Amino acid sequence: MIKFPIIRVITKLLIPYILLFAFYVQFHGDYGPGGGFQAGVIFASALILYGLVFGLDAIKRVAPPIVIEKLMALGVLVYAGTGFATMLLGGNFLDYDVLEHSLNHKYLPGGQHLGIFLVEVGVGITVTSVMTMIFYAFASRSRFV
């Protein structure tokens, strides 16, 4: 844990912007560079920065390891569930065309957009949680091992 008050204040100021940028990369990934993996790493970097500055116990209170473990599984479930849903609807694995619907396209995304969005969200959740869990594993080690 870092005791310098300036670093702690700057970190508290930077983390919301890091998270906002992660959400931008996540939700803009359908239209340009970015997506789930990049957003997941950026989101995890905010959590890791918090852990480096405020200590491992503080980050484990914000993001408990049991929640991170559940999020790892949830991300994979969203990704794989999207693929299996396309198979159940008569297409191939991750064949987004079968997600096309006849509802109002003005408010709901089309099949391709919806499929890519769900996959990117699943990847983002998984990458964030795995990177955070890797940080927990390394930060929990004794220094003299």
Side-chain angles (χ1 to χ4, degrees), residues 26 36 40 71-72 74-75 78 120-130:
Q26 174 71 50
L71 286 174
M72 285 191 293
L74 176 68
V78 169
E120 294 292 338
V121 166
V123 169
I125 292 170
T126 302
V127 169
T128 297
S129 52
V130 168

Side-chain angles (χ1 to χ4, degrees), residues 57-136:
D57 291 333
I59 188 60
K60 284 186 175 181
R61 281 191 303 273
V62 172
I66 190 71
V67 172
I68 299 298
E69 288 176 10
K70 303 281 191 254
L71 286 174
M72 285 191 293
L74 176 68
V76 173
L77 184 65
V78 169
Y79 178 88
T82 303
F84 286 122
T86 58
M87 290 173 62
L88 290 174
L89 292 172
N92 294 325
F93 189 75
L94 296 177
D95 179 16
Y96 306 131
D97 289 330
V98 298
L99 296 176
E100 197 65 40
H101 50 76
S102 60
L103 300 175
N104 191 346
H105 287 285
K106 185 175 183 181
Y107 300 108
L108 296 173
Q112 288 285 330
H113 182 78
L114 179 63
I116 291 171
F117 175 76
L118 290 173
V119 166
E120 294 292 338
V121 166
V123 169
I125 292 170
T126 302
V127 169
T128 297
S129 52
V130 168
M131 295 298 291
T132 305
M133 194 56 79
I134 290 171
F135 172 72
Y136 287 170

